[in-house]
Amino acid sequence: MKLLLTVVFAAAVAYYMYTPMPESIQEPWRLMVLDAGYRSAMHLGSLKAWLGFGNSVKSIRQSLEGVDDMMRWVSGSGSSKVPGVKVSDVTFAGIPVRVYEPPAGGEGHLRRGLLYFHGGGWALGSNKMESYDVMCRMLSDELNAVVVSVEYRLYPEVHFPVPYLDSLAAAKHFLSTEVLASYAVDPERVGVSGDSAGGNLAAAVAQEISIDDTMGVKFSVQALIYPAVQALDFNTPSCLQNQFMPILYRSVLVQFWMQYLGADLSLKSQFLVNNHSSNITPELRARLDWTVLLSPKYKKNYKRVIVEKGLQGAAKEVPGLLDVRAAPLLAGPEVLAKCPRAYIITCEHDVLRDDGMMYAQRLQDAGVKVTSDHYEDGFHGCLSFSTWPLEFDVSKRVVRGYFSWLKNNL
Ligand SMILES: *[C@@H]1O[C@H](CO)[C@@H](O)[C@H](O)[C@H]1NC(C)=O
Protein backbone atom coordinates (compact mmCIF):
# COMPACT_ATOMS: atom_id res chain seq x y z
CA MET A 1 0.00 0.00 0.00
CA LYS A 2 2.79 2.37 0.97
CA LEU A 3 4.63 1.52 -2.21
CA LEU A 4 1.53 2.07 -4.29
CA LEU A 5 0.94 5.47 -2.70
CA THR A 6 4.56 6.44 -3.29
CA VAL A 7 4.31 5.44 -6.93
CA VAL A 8 1.05 7.33 -7.40
CA PHE A 9 2.48 10.40 -5.68
CA ALA A 10 5.68 10.30 -7.74
CA ALA A 11 3.64 9.93 -10.92
CA ALA A 12 1.49 12.91 -9.92
CA VAL A 13 4.56 15.03 -9.24
CA ALA A 14 6.15 13.98 -12.53
CA TYR A 15 2.90 14.78 -14.37
CA TYR A 16 2.73 18.21 -12.73
CA MET A 17 6.34 18.93 -13.55
CA TYR A 18 6.55 17.55 -17.07
CA THR A 19 6.38 20.10 -19.87
CA PRO A 20 7.56 19.28 -23.38
CA MET A 21 10.68 21.31 -24.18
CA PRO A 22 12.17 22.36 -27.54
CA GLU A 23 15.29 20.39 -28.50
CA SER A 24 17.65 23.34 -28.27
CA ILE A 25 16.97 23.79 -24.54
CA GLN A 26 20.10 22.42 -22.95
CA GLU A 27 18.95 21.54 -19.44
CA PRO A 28 15.29 20.57 -20.00
CA TRP A 29 14.77 18.99 -16.58
CA ARG A 30 16.20 21.92 -14.73
CA LEU A 31 13.87 24.23 -16.66
CA MET A 32 10.91 21.98 -15.83
CA VAL A 33 11.76 22.22 -12.13
CA LEU A 34 11.98 26.00 -12.42
CA ASP A 35 8.69 26.10 -14.32
CA ALA A 36 6.96 23.86 -11.76
CA GLY A 37 8.23 26.19 -9.02
CA TYR A 38 6.71 29.21 -10.77
CA ARG A 39 3.48 27.41 -11.50
CA SER A 40 3.15 26.27 -7.86
CA ALA A 41 3.71 29.84 -6.67
CA MET A 42 0.97 31.02 -9.06
CA HIS A 43 -1.41 28.20 -8.11
CA LEU A 44 -0.81 28.76 -4.40
CA GLY A 45 -1.36 32.48 -4.84
CA SER A 46 -4.63 31.97 -6.70
CA LEU A 47 -5.77 29.38 -4.15
CA LYS A 48 -5.04 31.71 -1.24
CA ALA A 49 -6.95 34.51 -2.95
CA TRP A 50 -9.84 32.18 -3.78
CA LEU A 51 -10.01 31.17 -0.11
CA GLY A 52 -10.24 34.82 0.78
CA PHE A 53 -6.69 35.46 1.98
CA GLY A 54 -6.01 38.66 0.09
CA ASN A 55 -4.92 39.52 -3.42
CA SER A 56 -3.50 36.74 -5.61
CA VAL A 57 -0.69 38.82 -7.11
CA LYS A 58 0.50 39.80 -3.63
CA SER A 59 0.39 36.14 -2.58
CA ILE A 60 2.43 35.11 -5.62
CA ARG A 61 4.92 37.84 -4.79
CA GLN A 62 5.20 36.51 -1.25
CA SER A 63 5.69 32.92 -2.46
CA LEU A 64 8.46 34.05 -4.80
CA GLU A 65 10.09 35.99 -1.97
CA GLY A 66 9.99 32.79 0.09
CA VAL A 67 11.77 30.91 -2.70
CA ASP A 68 14.26 33.75 -2.88
CA ASP A 69 15.05 33.51 0.83
CA MET A 70 15.55 29.79 0.40
CA MET A 71 17.98 30.35 -2.49
CA ARG A 72 19.94 32.83 -0.39
CA TRP A 73 20.07 30.31 2.43
CA VAL A 74 21.27 27.55 0.10
CA SER A 75 23.83 29.49 -1.90
CA GLY A 76 25.01 32.25 0.43
CA SER A 77 24.18 35.93 0.26
CA GLY A 78 25.43 38.45 -2.28
CA SER A 79 27.63 40.30 0.17
CA SER A 80 29.71 37.16 0.70
CA LYS A 81 30.03 36.56 -3.05
CA VAL A 82 31.10 40.07 -4.04
CA PRO A 83 32.80 41.68 -1.06
CA GLY A 84 34.00 45.25 -1.31
CA VAL A 85 30.99 46.79 -3.03
CA LYS A 86 29.31 49.33 -0.77
CA VAL A 87 25.54 48.88 -0.73
CA SER A 88 23.06 51.43 0.59
CA ASP A 89 19.29 51.70 0.52
CA VAL A 90 18.32 55.33 0.01
CA THR A 91 15.66 57.29 -1.86
CA PHE A 92 16.02 59.24 -5.11
CA ALA A 93 13.26 61.86 -5.44
CA GLY A 94 11.22 59.83 -2.95
CA ILE A 95 11.68 56.53 -4.82
CA PRO A 96 13.50 53.77 -2.90
CA VAL A 97 16.70 52.71 -4.66
CA ARG A 98 19.64 50.46 -3.81
CA VAL A 99 22.97 52.05 -4.65
CA TYR A 100 26.07 49.92 -5.32
CA GLU A 101 29.43 51.69 -5.14
CA PRO A 102 32.56 49.96 -6.42
CA PRO A 103 35.61 49.41 -4.20
CA ALA A 104 37.81 51.73 -6.29
CA GLY A 105 37.17 55.14 -4.73
CA GLY A 106 36.02 58.21 -6.57
CA GLU A 107 39.02 60.30 -5.52
CA GLY A 108 40.35 61.97 -8.62
CA HIS A 109 38.83 59.57 -11.14
CA LEU A 110 35.25 59.29 -12.26
CA ARG A 111 33.30 56.06 -12.46
CA ARG A 112 30.63 54.74 -14.77
CA GLY A 113 26.96 54.94 -13.78
CA LEU A 114 24.19 52.43 -14.49
CA LEU A 115 20.49 52.68 -13.68
CA TYR A 116 18.79 49.28 -13.45
CA PHE A 117 15.11 48.21 -13.49
CA HIS A 118 14.27 44.66 -12.45
CA GLY A 119 11.71 42.49 -14.26
CA GLY A 120 8.57 40.73 -13.00
CA GLY A 121 5.64 41.89 -15.12
CA TRP A 122 5.30 45.22 -13.23
CA ALA A 123 3.77 43.09 -10.46
CA LEU A 124 6.47 40.81 -9.05
CA GLY A 125 10.10 41.00 -8.05
CA SER A 126 12.20 43.53 -6.19
CA ASN A 127 15.63 45.09 -6.36
CA LYS A 128 16.42 43.08 -3.23
CA MET A 129 15.91 39.71 -4.91
CA GLU A 130 19.01 37.59 -4.72
CA SER A 131 19.62 37.29 -8.46
CA TYR A 132 19.30 41.05 -9.08
CA ASP A 133 21.23 41.99 -5.98
CA VAL A 134 24.15 39.70 -6.84
CA MET A 135 24.18 40.85 -10.47
CA CYS A 136 24.21 44.53 -9.48
CA ARG A 137 27.09 43.91 -7.08
CA MET A 138 29.01 42.18 -9.87
CA LEU A 139 28.21 44.95 -12.35
CA SER A 140 29.45 47.55 -9.89
CA ASP A 141 32.62 45.60 -9.15
CA GLU A 142 33.53 44.55 -12.68
CA LEU A 143 32.57 47.75 -14.50
CA ASN A 144 33.79 50.08 -11.78
CA ALA A 145 30.30 51.54 -11.88
CA VAL A 146 27.89 53.13 -9.46
CA VAL A 147 24.81 50.99 -10.03
CA VAL A 148 21.38 52.24 -8.97
CA SER A 149 18.66 49.58 -8.80
CA VAL A 150 15.19 51.10 -8.62
CA GLU A 151 12.34 49.87 -6.43
CA TYR A 152 9.48 51.29 -8.51
CA ARG A 153 5.98 50.51 -7.21
CA LEU A 154 4.07 47.47 -8.51
CA TYR A 155 0.61 46.20 -9.36
CA PRO A 156 -1.85 45.77 -7.58
CA GLU A 157 -0.81 48.69 -5.38
CA VAL A 158 -0.50 50.91 -8.48
CA HIS A 159 -0.71 50.64 -12.23
CA PHE A 160 0.42 52.63 -15.28
CA PRO A 161 1.67 55.34 -15.35
CA VAL A 162 2.89 55.14 -11.74
CA PRO A 163 5.69 52.54 -12.21
CA TYR A 164 6.89 54.51 -15.24
CA LEU A 165 6.74 57.83 -13.37
CA ASP A 166 8.64 56.33 -10.40
CA SER A 167 11.30 55.09 -12.80
CA LEU A 168 11.55 58.44 -14.58
CA ALA A 169 11.78 60.37 -11.30
CA ALA A 170 14.63 58.16 -10.09
CA ALA A 171 16.38 58.54 -13.46
CA LYS A 172 16.16 62.34 -13.46
CA HIS A 173 17.46 62.48 -9.91
CA PHE A 174 20.44 60.25 -10.73
CA LEU A 175 21.26 62.24 -13.88
CA SER A 176 21.37 65.57 -12.05
CA THR A 177 24.83 67.10 -12.04
CA GLU A 178 25.00 67.31 -8.24
CA VAL A 179 24.02 63.68 -7.64
CA LEU A 180 26.42 62.37 -10.28
CA ALA A 181 29.19 64.47 -8.75
CA SER A 182 28.40 63.27 -5.24
CA TYR A 183 28.91 59.66 -6.41
CA ALA A 184 31.92 60.58 -8.59
CA VAL A 185 30.13 59.38 -11.75
CA ASP A 186 31.27 60.48 -15.21
CA PRO A 187 28.25 62.27 -16.82
CA GLU A 188 29.39 61.01 -20.24
CA ARG A 189 29.13 57.39 -19.14
CA VAL A 190 25.74 56.75 -17.59
CA GLY A 191 23.65 53.87 -18.94
CA VAL A 192 20.12 52.62 -18.39
CA SER A 193 19.18 48.97 -18.37
CA GLY A 194 16.59 46.41 -17.33
CA ASP A 195 15.10 43.02 -18.10
CA SER A 196 11.58 42.14 -19.25
CA ALA A 197 9.17 44.66 -17.65
CA GLY A 198 12.30 46.42 -16.43
CA GLY A 199 13.53 46.54 -20.04
CA ASN A 200 10.22 48.19 -20.90
CA LEU A 201 10.77 50.85 -18.25
CA ALA A 202 14.39 51.35 -19.31
CA ALA A 203 13.40 51.85 -22.97
CA ALA A 204 10.54 54.21 -22.08
CA VAL A 205 12.65 56.27 -19.67
CA ALA A 206 15.50 56.42 -22.22
CA GLN A 207 13.09 57.88 -24.80
CA GLU A 208 11.74 60.53 -22.45
CA ILE A 209 15.19 61.62 -21.25
CA SER A 210 16.40 61.76 -24.88
CA ILE A 211 13.71 64.21 -25.96
CA ASP A 212 13.68 66.29 -22.76
CA ASP A 213 15.61 69.47 -23.55
CA THR A 214 15.85 70.41 -19.89
CA MET A 215 18.07 67.39 -19.18
CA GLY A 216 21.70 68.46 -19.36
CA VAL A 217 22.99 64.92 -18.89
CA LYS A 218 21.62 62.09 -21.04
CA PHE A 219 22.12 58.35 -21.01
CA SER A 220 24.98 57.30 -23.25
CA VAL A 221 23.74 53.72 -23.71
CA GLN A 222 20.66 51.56 -23.13
CA ALA A 223 20.91 47.80 -22.57
CA LEU A 224 17.58 46.01 -22.89
CA ILE A 225 17.23 42.37 -21.91
CA TYR A 226 14.22 40.65 -23.52
CA PRO A 227 12.14 43.83 -23.14
CA ALA A 228 8.35 44.08 -23.54
CA VAL A 229 7.68 47.05 -25.80
CA GLN A 230 4.11 46.76 -27.10
CA ALA A 231 0.68 45.48 -26.06
CA LEU A 232 -1.25 45.67 -29.33
CA ASP A 233 -0.22 42.39 -30.94
CA PHE A 234 -0.27 39.25 -28.82
CA ASN A 235 -0.09 37.09 -31.93
CA THR A 236 3.46 37.75 -33.10
CA PRO A 237 5.29 34.64 -34.33
CA SER A 238 7.20 34.43 -31.03
CA CYS A 239 3.97 34.78 -29.01
CA LEU A 240 2.42 31.86 -30.89
CA GLN A 241 5.53 29.72 -31.11
CA ASN A 242 6.28 30.05 -27.39
CA GLN A 243 2.82 30.32 -25.89
CA PHE A 244 3.43 27.50 -23.42
CA MET A 245 7.11 28.11 -22.90
CA PRO A 246 8.33 28.61 -19.32
CA ILE A 247 8.65 30.79 -17.51
CA LEU A 248 6.42 33.29 -19.32
CA TYR A 249 3.32 31.81 -20.93
CA ARG A 250 1.47 33.94 -23.45
CA SER A 251 -1.61 34.11 -21.22
CA VAL A 252 0.54 35.35 -18.32
CA LEU A 253 2.14 37.98 -20.57
CA VAL A 254 -1.32 39.25 -21.56
CA GLN A 255 -2.43 39.22 -17.93
CA PHE A 256 0.64 41.24 -16.84
CA TRP A 257 0.00 43.83 -19.55
CA MET A 258 -3.71 44.14 -18.73
CA GLN A 259 -2.94 44.57 -15.04
CA TYR A 260 -0.24 47.13 -15.77
CA LEU A 261 -2.50 49.17 -18.05
CA GLY A 262 -5.50 48.92 -15.74
CA ALA A 263 -7.64 47.04 -18.28
CA ASP A 264 -10.75 45.08 -17.33
CA LEU A 265 -9.34 41.56 -16.82
CA SER A 266 -12.60 39.94 -17.94
CA LEU A 267 -11.68 41.04 -21.49
CA LYS A 268 -8.63 38.78 -21.60
CA SER A 269 -10.06 36.43 -24.24
CA GLN A 270 -10.49 39.45 -26.53
CA PHE A 271 -6.91 40.62 -25.98
CA LEU A 272 -5.61 37.13 -26.76
CA VAL A 273 -7.09 37.36 -30.28
CA ASN A 274 -6.01 41.01 -30.83
CA ASN A 275 -9.60 42.26 -30.65
CA HIS A 276 -8.37 45.17 -28.53
CA SER A 277 -6.30 46.59 -31.40
CA SER A 278 -8.85 46.53 -34.20
CA ASN A 279 -9.25 50.30 -34.47
CA ILE A 280 -5.70 51.62 -34.55
CA THR A 281 -4.41 53.84 -37.34
CA PRO A 282 -2.37 52.39 -40.23
CA GLU A 283 0.54 54.61 -39.14
CA LEU A 284 0.59 53.06 -35.67
CA ARG A 285 0.08 49.59 -37.06
CA ALA A 286 3.13 49.98 -39.26
CA ARG A 287 5.29 50.62 -36.21
CA LEU A 288 4.69 47.07 -35.00
CA ASP A 289 4.38 45.33 -38.33
CA TRP A 290 6.44 42.21 -37.79
CA THR A 291 5.88 41.11 -41.39
CA VAL A 292 8.20 44.01 -42.28
CA LEU A 293 10.37 44.28 -39.16
CA LEU A 294 11.32 40.62 -38.65
CA SER A 295 13.68 38.63 -40.81
CA PRO A 296 12.06 35.72 -42.74
CA LYS A 297 13.82 33.22 -40.49
CA TYR A 298 11.55 34.24 -37.62
CA LYS A 299 8.35 34.96 -39.56
CA LYS A 300 8.04 31.34 -40.68
CA ASN A 301 4.49 30.72 -41.91
CA TYR A 302 2.73 32.77 -39.29
CA LYS A 303 -0.04 35.12 -40.39
CA ARG A 304 -0.66 38.55 -38.98
CA VAL A 305 -3.82 38.69 -36.83
CA ILE A 306 -5.73 41.87 -37.57
CA VAL A 307 -9.39 42.01 -36.58
CA GLU A 308 -11.67 44.27 -38.61
CA LYS A 309 -14.32 44.90 -35.97
CA GLY A 310 -13.10 43.77 -32.60
CA LEU A 311 -13.50 45.33 -29.21
CA GLN A 312 -14.88 48.84 -29.80
CA GLY A 313 -13.31 51.69 -27.86
CA ALA A 314 -10.56 49.59 -26.25
CA ALA A 315 -7.97 52.32 -26.80
CA LYS A 316 -10.26 54.86 -25.21
CA GLU A 317 -10.89 52.75 -22.14
CA VAL A 318 -7.28 51.62 -21.85
CA PRO A 319 -5.34 54.71 -22.95
CA GLY A 320 -2.02 53.08 -22.03
CA LEU A 321 -2.37 50.80 -25.05
CA LEU A 322 -1.42 53.68 -27.36
CA ASP A 323 0.87 55.50 -24.94
CA VAL A 324 4.56 55.44 -25.87
CA ARG A 325 5.44 55.64 -22.18
CA ALA A 326 3.93 52.16 -21.83
CA ALA A 327 4.72 50.87 -25.30
CA PRO A 328 8.02 52.36 -26.51
CA LEU A 329 7.77 50.51 -29.84
CA LEU A 330 5.00 52.95 -30.80
CA ALA A 331 7.31 55.97 -30.76
CA GLY A 332 7.86 57.77 -34.04
CA PRO A 333 11.18 57.70 -35.90
CA GLU A 334 11.95 61.29 -34.83
CA VAL A 335 11.93 60.17 -31.16
CA LEU A 336 13.82 56.93 -31.76
CA ALA A 337 16.53 58.84 -33.63
CA LYS A 338 17.40 60.72 -30.45
CA CYS A 339 17.76 57.55 -28.33
CA PRO A 340 21.10 56.32 -27.03
CA ARG A 341 23.13 53.49 -28.54
CA ALA A 342 21.44 50.20 -27.75
CA TYR A 343 22.24 46.65 -26.78
CA ILE A 344 19.27 44.28 -27.09
CA ILE A 345 19.17 40.68 -25.94
CA THR A 346 16.50 38.34 -27.32
CA CYS A 347 15.84 34.65 -26.69
CA GLU A 348 14.43 32.18 -29.20
CA HIS A 349 12.11 30.46 -26.70
CA ASP A 350 10.45 33.62 -25.46
CA VAL A 351 7.08 35.20 -26.24
CA LEU A 352 8.88 38.56 -26.17
CA ARG A 353 11.50 37.63 -28.77
CA ASP A 354 9.76 39.64 -31.51
CA ASP A 355 9.19 42.67 -29.27
CA GLY A 356 12.96 42.92 -28.81
CA MET A 357 13.74 42.22 -32.46
CA MET A 358 11.22 44.77 -33.73
CA TYR A 359 12.52 47.44 -31.37
CA ALA A 360 16.10 46.75 -32.44
CA GLN A 361 15.09 47.05 -36.10
CA ARG A 362 13.14 50.28 -35.59
CA LEU A 363 15.95 51.91 -33.61
CA GLN A 364 18.37 50.92 -36.34
CA ASP A 365 16.06 52.25 -39.08
CA ALA A 366 15.99 55.55 -37.16
CA GLY A 367 19.79 55.70 -37.29
CA VAL A 368 20.67 54.45 -33.80
CA LYS A 369 23.62 52.11 -33.43
CA VAL A 370 22.28 48.78 -32.18
CA THR A 371 24.01 45.58 -31.10
CA SER A 372 21.62 42.61 -31.07
CA ASP A 373 22.45 39.36 -29.31
CA HIS A 374 20.04 36.53 -29.99
CA TYR A 375 20.30 33.30 -28.00
CA GLU A 376 19.00 30.27 -29.89
CA ASP A 377 18.77 28.25 -26.67
CA GLY A 378 17.60 31.13 -24.49
CA PHE A 379 14.28 31.33 -22.65
CA HIS A 380 12.50 34.22 -20.95
CA GLY A 381 14.00 35.13 -17.60
CA CYS A 382 17.22 33.20 -18.17
CA LEU A 383 19.38 36.15 -17.08
CA SER A 384 18.31 35.49 -13.49
CA PHE A 385 19.40 31.85 -13.34
CA SER A 386 23.16 31.84 -13.63
CA THR A 387 24.05 30.76 -10.11
CA TRP A 388 23.85 27.47 -8.31
CA PRO A 389 21.55 25.63 -7.59
CA LEU A 390 19.43 26.89 -10.51
CA GLU A 391 22.07 27.54 -13.12
CA PHE A 392 21.73 27.27 -16.86
CA ASP A 393 24.56 27.35 -19.34
CA VAL A 394 22.74 29.87 -21.52
CA SER A 395 22.25 32.13 -18.50
CA LYS A 396 25.98 32.34 -17.97
CA ARG A 397 26.53 33.24 -21.61
CA VAL A 398 23.79 35.89 -21.47
CA VAL A 399 25.35 37.45 -18.38
CA ARG A 400 28.85 37.34 -19.89
CA GLY A 401 27.65 38.93 -23.15
CA TYR A 402 25.79 41.64 -21.25
CA PHE A 403 28.76 42.49 -19.03
CA SER A 404 31.23 42.54 -21.89
CA TRP A 405 29.04 44.79 -24.05
CA LEU A 406 28.75 47.25 -21.16
CA LYS A 407 32.52 47.06 -20.55
CA ASN A 408 33.20 47.96 -24.18
CA ASN A 409 30.47 50.53 -24.69
CA LEU A 410 29.57 52.28 -21.46
C1 LIG B 1 -13.45 39.27 -31.45
O1 LIG B 1 -14.18 40.14 -32.28
C2 LIG B 1 -14.94 39.47 -33.26
C3 LIG B 1 -15.49 40.51 -34.20
O2 LIG B 1 -16.23 41.49 -33.52
C4 LIG B 1 -16.01 38.64 -32.58
O3 LIG B 1 -16.80 37.95 -33.55
C5 LIG B 1 -15.33 37.63 -31.66
O4 LIG B 1 -16.29 36.91 -30.94
C6 LIG B 1 -14.39 38.32 -30.71
N1 LIG B 1 -13.61 37.33 -30.00
C7 LIG B 1 -13.66 37.13 -28.68
C8 LIG B 1 -12.80 36.04 -28.14
O5 LIG B 1 -14.34 37.80 -27.94
Side-chain angles (χ1 to χ4, degrees), residues 36-53:
Y38 265 82
R39 270 187 293 135
S40 333
M42 300 233 174
H43 291 161
L44 254 160
S46 309
L47 181 69
K48 269 167 79 179
W50 185 74
L51 293 172
F53 297 106

Side-chain angles (χ1 to χ4, degrees), residues 267-271 273-275 307-312:
L267 299 175
K268 189 165 162 186
S269 60
Q270 305 248 12
F271 277 63
V273 296
N274 284 359
N275 270 10
V307 185
E308 283 295 332
K309 280 197 176 61
L311 190 58
Q312 297 302 309

Side-chain angles (χ1 to χ4, degrees), residues 302-329:
Y302 290 104
K303 294 273 174 300
R304 209 164 174 221
V305 177
I306 297 176
V307 185
E308 283 295 332
K309 280 197 176 61
L311 190 58
Q312 297 302 309
K316 226 183 236 131
E317 279 181 29
V318 191
L321 280 172
L322 305 185
D323 194 323
V324 292
R325 300 173 305 166
L329 184 61

Side-chain angles (χ1 to χ4, degrees), residues 221-224 336-337 339-346 356-373 405 409:
V221 301
Q222 55 178 329
L224 313 176
L336 297 180
C339 285
R341 230 159 358 117
Y343 177 63
I344 299 184
I345 291 177
T346 51
M357 286 189 169
M358 287 194 281
Y359 198 52
Q361 188 60 51
R362 290 213 49 229
L363 282 170
Q364 212 164 337
D365 292 346
V368 175
K369 203 173 153 207
V370 181
T371 309
S372 303
D373 266 349
W405 187 86
N409 293 278

Side-chain angles (χ1 to χ4, degrees), residues 212-233:
D212 184 345
D213 293 331
T214 68
M215 294 298 298
V217 180
K218 312 258 186 195
F219 291 115
S220 64
V221 301
Q222 55 178 329
L224 313 176
I225 302 158
Y226 34 72
V229 291
Q230 60 89 24
L232 289 173
D233 189 353

Side-chain angles (χ1 to χ4, degrees), residues 171-239:
K172 285 187 170 173
H173 184 86
F174 188 39
L175 290 175
S176 73
T177 322
E178 305 77 52
V179 174
L180 290 176
S182 73
Y183 285 106
V185 170
D186 183 349
E188 306 279 314
R189 299 174 88 182
V190 189
V192 61
S193 185
D195 62 295
S196 194
N200 166 278
L201 294 167
V205 166
Q207 285 186 4
E208 175 57 30
I209 299 285
S210 302
I211 57 171
D212 184 345
D213 293 331
T214 68
M215 294 298 298
V217 180
K218 312 258 186 195
F219 291 115
S220 64
V221 301
Q222 55 178 329
L224 313 176
I225 302 158
Y226 34 72
V229 291
Q230 60 89 24
L232 289 173
D233 189 353
F234 293 122
N235 290 274
T236 59
S238 64
C239 265

